[in-house]
Structure formats: structure tokens, C-alpha cells
Amino acid sequence: MDTPAPIYSLPFEKAWKVSLYLIKKQRSSCEAFSDMSLQNWCWSERYPGHHEMRDYFDNVDKALNVRENVVFNKRVIAAQFDQQTMLWTVQTDDGKTSLCKFFLLATGFTSKRLYPNIPGIDKFQGIVHHSSLWPKTGVDLSDKRVGVIGTGATGVQLIQEACKQSASVTVFQRTPNLCLPMRQRKLDAQTQQDAKKDYEAIYQQRLTTFGGYLDDFRDRSIFDDTPEEREAFFEELWQAGGFKFWIGSYRDVLMDEGANKLAYDFWARKTRARISDEAKKNILAPLVPPHPWGTKRPCLEHDYYEELSKPQHRVVDLQSAPIEKFTEVGIQTQNGEEYDLDIVVLATGFDALTGGLLDIDITTVDGEKISDRWAKGVRSYLGTTLSGCPNLFYLFAAHAPAASNGPSCIEIQGSWIVDTIVKMRAEGVRSIDPSPEAEKKWTEELIDICQKTLIPTTPSWYTGGNVPDKRVEPLIYFGGLPTYREKCNQVLNRGFEGFNLS
Ligand code: NA7
């Protein structure tokens, strides 16, 4: 987890509100949730691990009994709105259909995995796993020669652990991740218990920052400071760890090439000092930036660079020699080098933000497929509704502020959806459908905001640039969470502005 405790947990107020709406009968469960979540739950580390996160969500489920309201092991394949009945018909892969008045898609921003198109993968005699399909029983890496393709957040975290467990790790790197030190530390229960009186304020503070964390950009240009002041400020951010160097830095770092280069140079200097092997130093932290600093999501690490410096581990620079093919015993690059491997991990990411939604065949009231519409350019209203799709809402995907802390963004969107439905009921509105004009305006505004930053310079999942043949366009709202929240609330305060009502 790269978000510090407790801000990845659920604030009680919102859980209460959503639960009361969705599962009205379970009032006592909500009270139990309050006890469990805010009064008793404590994290063991500043950045909780996978198993602890799962335990937390299991406990949330035990308290709220969400499970009782969920149908498992079904894949939604298609959905269409019927104007006569004003209901959505949702088809699942078992041949059944369900009807609903409101259709809420929480399909995840990284649910459609991306497999690299590398010839010969079926001939490889070893084991291959995509990082997102990691066996629940774990994978024994001891004494194994492990190859990892991909150095995004997943690849980096996996590599630094695999280096400690395996005989050797070979990293196939296309673009270096400009990683930041996590500065993980243990947390004690008493300190957390004492801090709980401040949690409500902490949760509120998240929603006032650009990225939904507790830190925000410094309201000052990098050029307003002397080199000494700048160095001291960067050092402070660096020592604090986490994403501070990214989203707690000068406001113009993500807007101005000159400001950005200064941040990159600091990062490269700090990182290169941790890599003992000269050749690896130039691949993992080159002096020339691979792309502007922070325009692609950085990853938090503990000892990634120290581990990879060890002689048994290799870093293959795919910029100078791309992968040619899998062989029976490993991977061969285009310069003829062969790497013998027992296990290959594909940490190659996802068709993010749009892939999960488009996996469902959604048809508008006019018979248009959303997949056909979006092939000409993604459009949405507020990053949560689609014209021609009355009463459909989606969460943390295309056009949302999805580069932010997930729970903060989802809390804003989830609360807004609940407020919208409550207001519809109160005012006797049966359906809301954003107008094509409102959708066009939102989309143009979002593109305009993104183009004022350095984000479009870099191919990444923020713009669809990580998927071969995917249209490259701004897919994220970069106006910041507070502005996003204000705009969403304004729509309701102005009587469902931008929506056609029936
Ligand atoms: P990412 O961040 O999309 O990273 C995928 C990595 O895989 C990235 O380094 C890619 O290189 C690399 N990649 C993808 N295809 C290939 C091929 N064909 N050959 C070599 N390398 C390849 O996915 P993650 O799972 O790490 O993280 C996704 C998000 O989930 C993360 O940001 C968090 O928000 C949670 P590239 O950089 O494109 O050159």
C-alpha cells in the first residue's frame, strides 16, 4: 500500500450514510462498524501490507454485512436501458438477466489486465504469472531465476521482494520508474488510539488537497526560491518520504519544463548515490530524464536500488534492445542476448480507466454502443455519468480525478451519487441523463486542464499511452479533488444542471 494509515480506511460518516441508503435494515451493523473501524482497528505499519488490508476489509464486511447483498462469481457482460420500464437490464455470463433502476459500475480502474504481445510465450517451459493473477497460495521463488517484465508500481514492489527470496532476478525495463523512498515504519496501537480524536479532521483534510492525501502542492514557484532554499525544501520532502516529493512539491513542477528538470536532477542525484553498480546506475536512474518528473505515477520503495545493485541481479535496458521472443528456457532480446529463467512475472499493467467499463457491452437509449462512441474519443459528464445512459453512474474510472488517493476520490463520488439519488427521490425525478452538450463541455474542460500540464508529454495509463493501439487522450481530471467536488455539488445545487430529467 502506498497510502499511509489511516487515510486508506473508511471514514465512519460516509460508510454510515452509504450503508443506511443501500442496506437500510442494518442500522445495528453500522454501529458495530463505528466501533470496529474507528475505535478498535489499528494498523501495524505506516503503509499497511496486502494481508492487513484484506483483514481490514474482511472486518468491514463482517460489520456491514456487505456480502449478504452481493452475488459472487458472475461476470456482467451487457447492459441496456429500457425507456418503457425505465429500468436497466443487466446480463451476466450465466445467461441470466437482472433489472435495476440505478446501475452503478464500480468495475475498478485497473481491472482489465494487459498482456505483452511477445512471440513464443507458449513455448516457454517455465512458469508465467501476470502480477494481478498471483496465486493465493503464493509462489515459491527460493533458488529460482526470476524474470520480471515491467517496472510500474507493481513491478517495483515485486522486484524488491523477489530479490531477497530468489537465486537471481532479471528485470526487463522499458522505462525506469522514478521511485520515491517510502520510509516505512511500525506503528504502535496506543499512539493510534490517542490520535483517533483527530481522525474526523484528518479525513476532512484529505478532501481539501489536490490528490486526496494530507499533503498538497506548495503555493509557490520553484523559481521564487534560491538554489539553497530549494535544496533544503527538496531535502525535507525527501526525508519525510512517501509521495511528498511528488504532490507536496512546488506547484510548477508538473507544469513547467525548467522547474521539472530541477526536481528530476535532485531525484537522480539522490537515487544514483544508492546504486553501487555503474552500468545499472545509468539504466535505473539516467542523468537524462526518460520523461518529465512525476508525469507518470512514481512508486514507493524501501530498498529497490540497493537490492538491484547486488551482483546476482540483472537489469536489462529494453530501450537499447527490446524483447525479441520467449524461448523454451527464457527470454531473448533483439541483440541476441539470452536470459535463462525459471519464472517470468508479467508486471505489464492494465488497460486502465476505460478497459473495465468497456468489457461490459453498454448500449445507450439510442442503440449506440459506448465502445463505438469512445473509439472516437472518451466522453463523460463529471467522470461518473454518460449521456444516453439514464441513472448510470460509475466510480474511479475515465474522467474522474483518478490520479488521486482512491478512497478520497471514491468518497466524493460515492457521496455525490447518494446525494443525487436522495434528491431525485425527494423531488420525484425518475431518471437523470446528462445532455450531450454538458458531456462535451466537461470533456473539453478536462482536456484543457490536462494540456496545461506536462502530463501529455509522457505515454502512461493516465492518457492510454501504455496500451498498444489505444487512442491517446487525457483520461483523468487534473483539476484537483476540491474543485472536482465543488463542481459536482454545484450541479446538484443548480437543480441537476446539465442533466435531462424525467
Ligand atoms: P503500470 O504502471 O502500467 O506498469 C506497467 C509496466 O510494464 C511499465 O513499466 C511498462 O513499461 C511495462 N510494460 C508494459 N508492456 C510492456 C512490454 N510489452 N514490454 C516491456 N515492458 C512493458 O502497471 P502497474 O501494475 O505497475 O501499476 C498500475 C497502477 O495500479 C499503479 O500506478 C497504481 O496506481 C496501482 P512502460 O513504462 O510503459 O515503458
Side-chain angles (χ1 to χ4, degrees):
M1 180 53 53
D2 51 20
T3 300
I7 64 169
Y8 214 78
S9 14
L10 296 166
F12 166 68
E13 287 300 328
K14 298 301 171 195
W16 171 270
K17 193 172 176 186
V18 173
S19 306
L20 279 188
Y21 176 73
L22 293 175
I23 33 181
K24 290 180 210 139
K25 57 184 185 199
Q26 292 170 336
R27 196 181 176 95
S28 58
S29 297
C30 292
E31 279 155 11
F33 177 75
S34 161
D35 283 351
M36 184 280 305
S37 173
L38 287 187
Q39 306 315 321
N40 298 331
W41 185 269
C42 288
W43 300 99
S44 68
E45 293 177 304
R46 185 184 181 200
Y47 294 94
H50 169 82
H51 294 293
E52 203 169 359
M53 289 301 297
R54 287 192 70 109
D55 286 349
Y56 172 74
F57 287 117
D58 271 351
N59 274 301
V60 171
D61 178 44
K62 271 185 207 136
L64 283 179
N65 214 355
V66 180
R67 192 170 287 263
E68 198 179 74
N69 298 276
V70 178
V71 178
F72 289 98
N73 298 320
K74 289 198 189 201
R75 179 168 282 272
V76 174
I77 53 173
Q80 183 154 23
F81 187 76
D82 181 341
Q83 270 182 310
Q84 298 301 315
T85 59
M86 308 279 281
L87 294 173
W88 280 93
T89 303
V90 179
Q91 288 176 43
T92 42
D93 60 353
D94 55 359
K96 296 196 172 139
T97 55
S98 309
L99 299 177
C100 56
K101 180 168 178 188
F102 297 101
F103 185 36
L104 179 57
L105 291 151
T107 43
F109 77 114
T110 50
S111 54
K112 183 167 184 175
R113 58 187 63 88
L114 198 61
Y115 286 94
N117 187 12
I118 303 172
I121 197 160
D122 48 323
K123 295 200 181 76
F124 178 55
Q125 299 293 304
I127 295 168
V128 180
H129 288 299
H130 192 283
S131 55
S132 68
L133 279 177
W134 202 248
K136 282 201 180 106
T137 48
V139 180
D140 182 10
L141 302 180
S142 51
D143 304 324
K144 300 288 192 306
R145 297 162 302 172
V146 179
V148 182
I149 304 177
T151 51
T154 309
V156 166
Q157 295 187 14
L158 200 143
I159 289 162
Q160 72 182 356
E161 296 314 313
C163 281
K164 295 173 192 114
Q165 295 172 28
S166 58
S168 68
V169 173
T170 305
V171 177
F172 296 89
Q173 175 193 281
R174 198 163 63 181
T175 311
N177 196 308
L178 312 186
C179 304
L180 294 171
M182 179 180 256
R183 311 229 186 273
Q184 174 72 299
R185 62 167 187 265
K186 296 281 176 212
L187 297 178
D188 75 274
Q190 192 54 50
T191 313
Q192 287 175 79
Q193 284 299 131
D194 294 346
K196 282 182 182 168
K197 61 180 181 341
D198 303 323
Y199 273 20
E200 196 51 46
I202 286 175
Y203 288 133
Q204 279 310 315
Q205 190 184 333
R206 282 180 320 162
L207 305 184
T208 65
T209 66
F210 183 93
Y213 297 89
L214 297 182
D215 301 294
D216 212 348
F217 293 111
R218 192 179 211 194
D219 203 12
R220 189 172 168 82
S221 163
I222 203 167
F223 302 108
D224 290 341
D225 279 354
T226 64
E228 294 73 27
E229 286 167 338
R230 189 183 305 144
E231 179 74 12
F233 179 54
F234 276 166
E235 186 64 32
E236 187 188 315
L237 298 174
W238 193 262
Q239 292 310 328
F243 284 140
K244 273 180 191 276
F245 191 76
W246 187 35
I247 39 129
S249 188
Y250 298 98
R251 193 168 279 276
D252 47 356
V253 164
L254 296 180
M255 318 284 276
D256 178 276
E257 278 180 28
N260 192 282
K261 181 68 168 44
L262 291 170
Y264 182 83
D265 289 347
F266 181 92
W267 175 86
R269 184 157 39 88
K270 285 288 190 186
T271 306
R272 288 172 69 87
R274 294 172 56 192
I275 307 167
S276 52
D277 180 295
E278 279 305 310
K280 288 176 183 171
K281 195 178 279 191
N282 290 327
I283 302 174
L284 290 167
L287 289 170
V288 178
H291 53 77
W293 157 256
T295 51
K296 195 168 183 165
R297 193 178 179 286
C299 169
L300 303 187
E301 54 76 44
H302 311 288
D303 50 8
Y304 179 66
Y305 297 107
E306 288 77 8
E307 284 295 335
L308 280 180
S309 294
K310 293 179 180 166
Q312 70 270 31
H313 304 309
R314 298 178 287 196
V315 185
V316 180
D317 180 11
L318 299 183
Q319 293 292 345
S320 46
I323 293 175
E324 166 99 18
K325 60 179 180 183
F326 273 89
T327 65
E328 284 190 7
V329 293
I331 286 176
Q332 186 180 320
T333 47
Q334 282 181 12
N335 58 359
E337 285 286 336
E338 290 186 41
Y339 301 90
D340 291 356
L341 302 163
D342 302 308
I343 298 175
V344 174
V345 182
L346 307 175
T348 43
F350 303 87
D351 179 357
L353 299 163
T354 59
L357 291 171
L358 293 182
D359 259 358
I360 300 173
D361 184 15
I362 301 169
T363 310
T364 70
V365 288
D366 302 321
E368 186 185 15
K369 306 275 185 199
I370 292 298
S371 52
D372 291 340
R373 183 193 286 178
W374 279 11
K376 294 177 239 142
V378 173
R379 279 160 36 195
S380 84
Y381 186 43
L382 304 175
T384 185
T385 62
L386 303 171
S387 70
C389 297
N391 295 352
L392 176 150
F393 304 94
Y394 65 87
L395 287 164
F396 206 59
H399 287 191
S404 60
N405 174 37
S408 305
C409 173
I410 293 165
E411 184 182 327
I412 290 172
Q413 291 193 309
S415 301
W416 184 81
I417 292 167
V418 172
D419 289 345
T420 302
I421 294 173
V422 168
K423 186 175 165 71
M424 285 172 70
R425 288 193 168 156
E427 297 180 13
V429 176
R430 290 187 70 193
S431 76
I432 59 166
D433 181 6
S435 71
E437 296 74 32
E439 203 176 52
K440 185 166 178 282
K441 193 164 166 254
W442 173 259
T443 303
E444 283 172 356
E445 188 181 322
L446 172 142
I447 292 172
D448 190 48
I449 293 170
C450 188
Q451 281 171 347
K452 290 193 174 104
T453 73
L454 296 169
I455 302 288
T457 61
T458 308
S460 79
W461 60 261
Y462 288 175
T463 56
N466 65 321
V467 181
D469 301 329
K470 185 167 174 173
R471 192 186 151 94
V472 178
E473 59 189 319
L475 289 175
I476 288 181
Y477 179 78
F478 278 105
L481 279 188
T483 312
Y484 177 75
R485 188 185 188 196
E486 196 183 306
K487 282 181 178 288
C488 290
N489 289 338
Q490 209 172 60
V491 163
L492 286 193
N493 294 338
R494 293 181 179 168
F496 301 101
E497 186 180 48
F499 285 99
N500 295 320
L501 313 181
S502 75

